[in-house]
Amino acid sequence: MAKPKVATTSLAGCFGCHMSLLDIDDRILKLVELVDFDKSPIDDIKEFSGRCAIGLIEGGCCNEENVRVLQDFRKHCDILISVGDCATMGGIPAMRNNIPLEECYAEAYLDGPTVHNPSKQIPNDPELPLLLNKVYPCHEVVKIDYHLPGCPPSADTLWEALVALLSDKPVALPYALIKYD
Amino acid sequence: MSASLQAAVQEICQACGNDRTRVMDIVREVQSRFGCVTGEAMDLIAKTVSAHRVEVEGVVSFYAFLSDQPKGEVVIRLCNDVIDEMAGSERIVRAFREALGIDFGQTTPDGRITLEHTPCIGMCDQAPAAMVNDVIVTRLSSDSVWAMVRELKAHMDPKRLVQKLGDGNNAHSLVHAMVENNIRRSGPVIFADLTPGDALKKAVAMSPQEVIRDIKTSRLRGRGGAGFPTGIKWDYTRSAEGAKRYVLCNADEGEPGTFKDRVILTEKAELLFEGMAIAGYAVGAETGILYLRAEYAYLRAFLEDVLNRQRSRGLLGKDVGGKRGFDFDIRIQMGAGAYICGEETALISSCEGLRGDPKNRPPFPAQKGYLGCPTTVNNVETFCCVARILDKGPGWFAQLGSQGSSGTKLLSISGDCKSPGVYEVPFGVKLREVLKMAGAEEALAVQVGGPSGQMVGEKDYDRSICYDDLATGGSVMVFGPQRNLLHVVSKFLEFFVEESCGYCTPCRVGNVLLKERVDRILAGQGEEADLAYLQDLGQTVKMASRCGLGQTSANPVLSTLKNFRSMYESLLRKPIDGKQLSFDIHQALADAQTVVGRQSVHF
């Protein structure tokens, strides 16, 4: 039987959750015995090669590209997991949600104390994705099956959750893994 | 300004004995004289009554009728509950906006008139209604709004807006209101006649223990909705340790759709005060407090007058009812616009001059209530029953109504019915009979017990109004076949979101999330899974909230999910490719497209 496939992505996140995944250390050898990685920054595969069992999403949606990628994940993955606080609730990027977008642009490109922009132009290359009016947690954009909280969720949390899911058992996360102070 | 403010604040505080526990009266008076309670005023009050500034500010920011920003000389508060909306308040909203040239929440540029919304003001039987300062205006139409605004602008005297007086004591010179009683059905307990003093004299001829025994024998249960046996409550209060004891009357009827206490206060105040005096005798209290909701301020002068009459009859004051050594008097504590103060521990907080936050229980008020003393808090209607029981005997009362629910109950019926108003019915009456009385046989749904009660449909119309079946504090709202029940649910949730005191998270946050999800379904963006979400979240809010508000606020959702599930289901859609129906990418990108001036590449 072919190994189930796992895809991962970092949307409006800091890659900290991916770092945490790498923190499973030598267990990564066990992991590749259990699964194949599909689209993911870990193996640098850019496009889905087929249907995946699990998609791990880091970060919320702050721009149109995030939305496109997330919808693509939803289409290709049986189970989507919001990994970490940004995916779950928007996290640090969502701090801009109380500030009108126009002011955010102005602070970043026109008026910020370290900005040097004599032409007073807001970068506008079509390569640059447009920002959304606010930062959305993933489950407000597509259906999400599970949430793994933490900033980031520890390697053990990720490991336990993945193994439980792959072996079709209930996820038993002991208190130590979901305690954050 | 500052010197006159200082003098006024000192005078007001002085009149309240510089008593920290009378802060409610103090800030209300400052508000009415200066149109707001400024930071400077708060500092002065805090200093004069030896409180911290934050305590005073906490009170001012808590209550809807108090503010730290100046309001107009006249404040118009239009009731925005669902019954008023059904009576056409949308037209009234438009008329007010146009006539005044301002939106709700604003004050006219000349600083004279402020326009606001307010939740139920207890006039659902004569909706749409509004308060103009303390004056109630009912059965509004867009024409009457225009006329009213024109008049107000000319003389700025809300009292002169009352032209046609209501029936009964509404026409009394001290009430002077256009409010109608709408008593549609009288019964033997509340609306029968009573010679003042008869009940009280019978009470003081017995020992307090005997009075409590009689109340127990009558099987009287609290009329506010929870239905706790009154005799047992009094027994606890009497036997609790404390130097002083208090009797509090809960006249903060804020449950939307309830207005029966308004009618009792207007027509049967003697009966009420006599019942309170009997309670005072039974539990051993010298002081009673009537906590009157701010919306009924128009009744205050009249009630003070009734109190005076009771004093001159010897039914309040010293040696009450001729009983040597039994002193009992009543003061009126005004509320300031907070639904939560109808919850008894929040009501006590408010009487103590604090924010209307509920308290932890235990200790129960009967053990440690007002100012830490044993206190019994009862509903207006309960006290009236008490007086009648003492007059007619507990056996007479117990044979009225049904086995578990003795006596009669006042129902406030409003909404889609021919005869909205107050009905005194024996407990155990079938809902179908009640609907027939009110001319509402066509009802699609009936909300029994107000927003915190339950919404039932046709299959439940043969159930009985009583504590063990369909319990209600009195509110019965009727919704005809043309109504969108989900919209009603959303309006109820809006009310709870507004009135949550914010202390505990399940209530403060949960109600917002419930409303969001119901609105999503209403907008055609709901899916199957949302129903499970609502059920789950509703139960969490119910189970985890600290007081009765949050423990019942999810009821409109839970009871409609149970009784009107198909209504939800007909609005659900199937999501495509797992996308959330409520997420609109084009709307989410609109701002950015304007700022950078180009269209999306991806969408």
Side-chain angles (χ1 to χ4, degrees), chain B residues 214-491:
Chain B
D214 268 10
I215 298 298
K216 282 185 183 169
T217 312
S218 74
R219 300 198 313 273
L220 172 65
R221 294 169 69 174
R223 269 21 182 182
F228 192 82
T230 308
I232 295 179
K233 192 187 269 188
W234 287 10
D235 215 358
Y236 287 157
T237 311
R238 180 166 185 86
S239 50
E241 268 181 51
K244 279 185 166 180
R245 293 184 167 67
Y246 291 93
V247 171
L248 266 55
C249 174
N250 185 345
D252 191 58
E253 76 173 342
E255 189 74 32
T258 317
F259 43 84
K260 47 120 188 152
D261 291 346
R262 177 197 88 212
V263 180
I264 294 181
L265 293 164
T266 310
E267 297 301 332
K268 290 287 163 190
E270 282 100 344
L271 190 65
L272 161 66
F273 292 141
E274 203 162 326
M276 286 179 73
I278 293 167
Y281 179 68
V283 305
E286 282 184 11
T287 307
I289 301 174
L290 173 72
Y291 188 89
L292 187 63
R293 68 185 303 216
E295 289 80 352
Y296 294 167
Y298 75 100
L299 290 169
R300 184 178 183 173
F302 169 74
L303 290 170
E304 295 283 9
D305 185 56
V306 176
L307 284 174
N308 279 332
R309 267 185 275 154
Q310 294 291 89
R311 285 180 194 118
S312 61
R313 288 180 185 130
L315 302 178
L316 285 176
K318 279 214 157 305
D319 298 333
V320 174
K323 179 82 175 178
R324 274 182 108 42
F326 171 44
D327 301 340
F328 185 80
D329 213 330
I330 296 171
R331 79 171 169 91
I332 296 177
Q333 172 68 58
M334 291 305 300
Y339 166 72
I340 185 65
C341 289
E343 198 279 341
E344 61 175 2
T345 59
L347 182 143
I348 291 172
S349 298
S350 189
C351 286
E352 292 169 338
L354 307 171
R355 294 161 58 86
D357 287 327
K359 297 174 196 261
N360 283 332
R361 290 181 293 189
F364 290 91
Q367 303 159 291
K368 274 189 191 327
Y370 179 62
L371 302 177
C373 301
T375 302
T376 179
V377 185
N378 296 108
N379 183 263
V380 172
E381 193 182 342
T382 312
F383 284 119
C384 293
C385 292
V386 162
R388 192 69 68 184
I389 288 164
L390 266 294
D391 186 43
K392 296 263 198 168
W396 173 84
F397 186 85
Q399 51 87 29
L400 296 170
S402 68
Q403 183 54 32
S405 315
S406 60
T408 63
K409 182 79 194 83
L410 292 194
L411 301 179
S412 322
I413 306 181
S414 63
D416 296 317
C417 60
K418 290 197 189 77
S419 317
V422 177
Y423 293 73
E424 183 173 353
V425 296
F427 264 121
V429 66
K430 301 262 184 280
L431 182 54
R432 194 178 298 281
E433 288 172 54
V434 171
L435 294 176
K436 205 171 149 201
M437 282 179 222
E441 288 98 332
E442 304 284 278
L444 165 69
V446 184
Q447 182 77 21
V448 182
S452 65
Q454 43 187 326
M455 193 183 274
V456 297
E458 169 74 33
K459 72 176 170 51
D460 287 317
Y461 289 173
D462 287 314
R463 290 172 63 189
S464 308
I465 304 270
C466 64
Y467 295 107
D468 310 311
D469 195 0
L470 287 173
T472 172
S475 171
V476 175
M477 299 156 119
V478 184
F479 300 103
Q482 74 275 33
R483 305 298 173 188
N484 179 346
L485 299 184
L486 250 62
H487 173 73
V488 175
V489 171
S490 171
K491 287 289 286 183

